[in-house]
Amino acid sequence: MTRCAAAQRNAPASTVKVAKVEPPNWWVGFTPEVMLLLSGQDLEATNASCNLPALRVSRTQATAGGNYLFVWLKIGTDTKPGTAVCRITAPKGSTSFELPLAARAPTLGKFQGLSPDDVIYLIMPDRFANGDPTNDEPAEAPGSHDRSKSRAYHGGDLRGIQNHLAYLKELGVTTLWLTPVVKNGAAQDYHGYGAVDLYAVDPHQGSLKDYRDLVAAAHRERMKILFDVVPNHVGPLNPWVVNPPLPDWFHGTKQHHLDSFSPLKGTFYGKFAGEVAMNDPFESLIDPYAPAWMKQNLTEGWFFGILPDMNTENPVVEEYLLQNSLWWAEISGLDGYRVDTFPYVGRKFWAYWHAGLRRTYPNLTTIGEVFHPDPTVTSFFVGGVRRYDGIDSGLSTVFDFPMFFTLRDVLLRNAPVGRIADVLRHDALYQRPDLLVPFFANHDVPRFASAEGSTTAKLKLAFGLTLTLRGIPEIYYGDEIGMPGGGDPDNRRDFPGGWNGDANDAFTQAGRTREQQEIFSYVQGLLRVRNEHAALRSGRLSHLASNESAYVFLRESEDERIVVAFNNADKAKEIRVAISGTPMQNAAAISLIFGGAKAALAGSDLGISMPAQSLSIFSVN
Ligand SMILES: [Ca+2]
Ligand SMILES: [Ca+2]
């Protein structure tokens, strides 16, 4: 035995190890405290302290046999930017870790939030454009890339989006919603909803720098970025599932958990037995008379029975998730959050999360996914008002799923057009109906162009209505060129031209087919009209006429009045609109600015002759 080995036996080497620090960095002048989650081994700290005098460890909590250590740090107001070195002493030795603390970057032009002037374009990054073939198959994910398989990674990435900002500008959208960019774990997680690391960009999509560069480049182009955040659940392969930081980090465990399917049968609220519901049954969540067990599966069950459900009732989990959202905002400058599976999270969490976000970022817009056709259900989740449970969720707005279901029913299944006015009459349920997000497609439903009953004319009408009704419209990548596709994952095909060697390059006019160009120029034209007329973006909406096959409405701002006339019938229609008692009653002249209808004022009547399956826009003086 050498002397050295003997010394080691007498004073065994420390086995205390920090493998990961979350968050990996923070800022001074940002929050008064930060909670660190350290992962490693033998972290049962008896002491923890940092070398910056204004940085004080207020509390620590070791968990999971020393695999984790929570460290709460008070950040004094006189803390200077720099890298803190913090030392941990534990029974099995000691170690240190670093926490970079930066000064905040200038906030001008960041964290902007959305307004009705915006138009959202939804992109699934893996399926849009491949800007960096070197990340198609990261070393840590062998075999994950295969463009011939619909559920494999196809190679699209953040660089690819940045490379095509000019295309998106040319189309006329202002805001990009990217499906989640966080690191996922499974070979089929190209969609991003199976997080294994909430503090890393998925290597297929690029690096954190790529994300920050994309946000900065978008801002230079006066565009905005929405971050898709998923506090409800993580991916099945998240290391927390095997070894949770707290015994109640999740609702239940991999072996024992509820699933998210409601225990209530449709007949509970009077649906016909066998009536097929395309939506999730959120009725019990908004029902003041429903006892806890009727809601528990929805809020505490694992989504689809497989996605680990975060215990958002635990204050430590709450703090972790809020900090994570603050971190993504501060590091990137993002402008808002699209919030996944909103009703599946307990409402106290949302109040806490929004209050925490808004302390730092008062303008951030949050848009909740509430997949339900009933406005009395969707509106319940929007903030600005306390509901029966005493909670104001803080949510800015929701996607207008009732309008989505209605547009598809009207355009594809010839439901009475009056169904549109029937959705709109519920707008009084919302504090800010002008912030609702109407849409006719997203990544979870079959492509409009391939749906039964669809035609190019119907697709144009879907764009026409979505872009002229009130709110902040959302359109799904590729619909502007009529991309086909069935249900998930066929609705997530690669955007043509996004890959080297694609035969069809729809990013350029020269590369688009005649059919693609026809739809593209229609959507571009509509977006141009919307951009040129404030009344179409933020004007007050009034019904002028509504019946089986037509809807005529007014958008009125201080400076102008715009009439939109929609005919769903497969033949031309004449309609007479009585304008006395409407904001149009003093109208002197009406002129066409988009579409092919003809309108004439005659005394107190407005007569419009509308071509078959058409949407036309008029300016009124
Ligand atoms: Ca790539
Ligand atoms: Ca949940």
Side-chain angles (χ1 to χ4, degrees):
M1 186 182 290
T2 63
R3 272 182 64 193
C4 184
Q8 274 177 5
R9 195 183 53 180
N10 294 339
S14 170
T15 55
V16 179
K17 207 151 69 183
V18 174
K20 188 176 181 191
V21 182
E22 299 172 76
N25 63 286
W26 205 245
W27 294 267
V28 296
F30 188 48
T31 59
E33 183 184 80
V34 63
M35 178 188 81
L36 305 178
L37 171 55
L38 312 182
S39 313
Q41 65 176 36
D42 296 331
L43 290 168
E44 287 111 337
T46 51
N47 188 272
S49 62
C50 304
N51 66 343
L52 298 182
L55 206 58
R56 189 169 62 80
V57 174
S58 60
R59 184 158 69 100
T60 62
Q61 183 184 352
T63 59
N67 285 155
Y68 297 103
L69 180 70
F70 291 94
V71 178
W72 283 265
L73 282 176
K74 297 268 187 224
I75 307 170
T77 48
D78 49 347
T79 309
K80 301 275 184 294
T83 294
V85 179
C86 303
R87 187 148 193 87
I88 294 166
T89 310
K92 292 185 180 163
S94 62
T95 190
S96 59
F97 67 92
E98 293 187 346
L99 182 70
L101 287 163
R104 294 189 69 193
T107 59
L108 189 70
K110 302 175 182 171
F111 326 119
Q112 301 170 88
L114 272 60
S115 80
D117 289 343
D118 287 308
V119 177
I120 300 168
Y121 185 89
L122 164 57
I123 292 175
M124 187 164 274
D126 183 61
R127 304 298 167 89
F128 189 63
N130 189 359
D132 180 3
T134 67
N135 62 20
D136 289 358
E137 186 154 302
E140 61 208 288
S144 56
H145 173 256
D146 186 344
R147 260 189 103 191
S148 71
K149 293 201 178 116
S150 62
R151 293 184 192 278
Y153 282 87
H154 287 189
D157 48 40
L158 299 171
R159 191 88 55 84
I161 297 169
Q162 190 176 334
N163 290 347
H164 291 97
L165 289 179
Y167 166 82
L168 299 163
K169 272 295 264 197
E170 186 198 356
L171 175 62
V173 297
T174 71
T175 303
L176 308 182
W177 155 24
L178 315 186
T179 53
V181 299
V182 295
K183 188 174 179 186
N184 275 230
Q188 301 191 339
D189 278 348
Y190 68 90
H191 45 69
Y193 292 99
V196 298
D197 186 345
L198 295 178
Y199 281 101
V201 168
D202 191 273
H204 297 87
Q205 294 196 38
S207 63
L208 181 60
K209 181 180 182 302
D210 290 334
Y211 187 68
R212 300 173 72 180
D213 288 351
L214 172 61
V215 177
H219 286 168
R220 282 196 297 276
E221 295 292 335
R222 307 176 71 83
M223 299 178 83
K224 300 174 184 176
I225 300 283
L226 283 179
F227 184 96
D228 196 331
V229 67
V230 193
N232 183 61
H233 54 257
V234 293
L237 296 182
N238 192 300
W240 292 335
V241 177
V242 177
N243 191 19
L246 293 170
D248 59 349
W249 191 251
F250 295 115
H251 288 128
T253 63
K254 186 176 162 71
Q255 289 74 29
H256 299 286
H257 56 257
L258 298 171
D259 70 45
S260 66
F261 301 105
S262 171
L264 300 187
K265 288 192 165 49
T267 52
F268 189 92
Y269 291 110
K271 298 271 192 300
F272 287 110
E275 200 174 320
V276 181
M278 256 195 71
N279 57 278
D280 300 322
F282 299 137
E283 286 84 352
S284 62
L285 296 175
I286 72 155
D287 180 350
Y289 308 123
W293 72 264
M294 293 183 184
K295 314 180 187 202
Q296 197 180 9
N297 282 56
L298 289 163
T299 57
E300 299 184 14
W302 289 30
F303 197 59
F304 284 127
I306 51 172
L307 294 176
D309 199 66
M310 297 297 290
N311 179 6
T312 42
E313 279 64 48
N314 183 320
V316 178
V317 174
E318 280 190 320
E319 194 166 2
Y320 179 93
L321 292 171
L322 169 60
Q323 280 186 182
N324 183 247
S325 298
L326 288 169
W327 185 85
W328 280 106
E330 190 63 20
I331 208 148
S332 70
L334 59 84
D335 300 295
Y337 291 95
R338 177 267 181 178
V339 191
D340 191 69
T341 39
F342 193 82
Y344 293 92
V345 176
R347 291 169 48 74
K348 278 189 191 143
F349 172 81
W350 292 127
Y352 166 86
W353 186 75
H354 279 103
L357 277 181
R358 299 246 161 77
R359 268 195 294 275
T360 306
Y361 309 111
N363 299 325
L364 280 189
T365 300
T366 58
I367 309 171
E369 179 202 27
V370 183
F371 204 125
H372 202 283
D374 181 348
T376 68
V377 172
T378 50
S379 61
F380 174 87
F381 294 94
V382 183
V385 59
R386 282 182 200 282
R387 304 294 178 182
Y388 73 85
D389 52 8
I391 295 169
D392 174 345
S393 73
L395 185 69
S396 307
T397 189
V398 287
F399 292 96
D400 194 353
F401 273 91
M403 191 59 81
F404 158 77
F405 284 102
T406 296
L407 291 177
R408 292 233 168 179
D409 284 349
V410 165
L411 294 170
L412 300 174
R413 292 179 273 280
N414 282 317
V417 171
R419 287 267 305 277
I420 294 171
D422 193 48
V423 172
L424 292 170
R425 75 182 169 84
H426 290 88
D427 274 11
L429 293 167
Y430 299 98
Q431 304 294 300
R432 293 285 308 273
D434 60 320
L435 298 182
L436 280 166
V437 180
F439 66 101
F440 66 85
N442 67 21
H443 56 315
D444 289 325
V445 300
R447 286 276 182 187
F448 190 96
S450 294
E452 200 183 329
S454 184
T455 61
T456 298
K458 294 280 184 177
L459 178 59
K460 289 178 177 175
L461 292 174
F463 275 109
L465 289 165
T466 304
L467 296 177
T468 56
L469 292 168
R470 85 284 180 265
I472 307 168
E474 173 257 298
I475 60 187
Y476 183 41
Y477 84 93
D479 279 346
E480 77 275 19
I481 52 160
M483 266 177 73
D488 166 8
D490 194 40
N491 52 356
R492 301 157 177 190
R493 293 188 198 176
D494 300 343
F495 191 98
W499 278 253
N500 281 334
D502 280 0
N504 168 213
D505 179 6
F507 282 119
T508 65
Q509 182 166 349
R512 285 191 278 271
T513 66
R514 201 175 50 79
E515 291 81 6
Q516 288 170 340
Q517 180 58 28
E518 180 188 345
I519 300 163
F520 180 89
S521 59
Y522 183 87
V523 179
Q524 187 185 40
L526 266 172
L527 285 166
R528 194 177 300 132
V529 169
R530 181 185 167 86
N531 191 43
E532 286 166 357
H533 297 275
L536 271 180
R537 306 193 300 274
S538 49
R540 190 187 142 74
L541 189 148
S542 299
H543 306 309
L544 293 178
S546 169
N547 62 31
E548 182 74 18
S549 62
Y551 178 50
V552 182
F553 59 102
L554 183 74
R555 301 290 310 273
E556 178 193 23
S557 68
E558 277 184 19
D559 303 324
E560 63 178 338
R561 286 173 294 183
I562 297 279
V563 168
V564 180
F566 161 55
N567 175 26
N568 197 41
D570 54 12
K571 53 179 189 254
K573 288 265 180 178
E574 303 269 335
I575 194 164
R576 286 214 128 352
V577 180
I579 58 173
S580 59
T582 79
M584 263 197 76
Q585 61 184 2
N586 63 349
I590 182 162
S591 55
L592 184 73
I593 51 181
F594 184 88
K598 292 189 173 65
L601 286 161
S604 60
D605 271 1
L606 168 65
I608 310 178
S609 50
M610 302 175 287
Q613 297 184 350
S614 67
L615 182 131
S616 303
I617 303 173
F618 299 91
S619 174
V620 178
N621 292 113

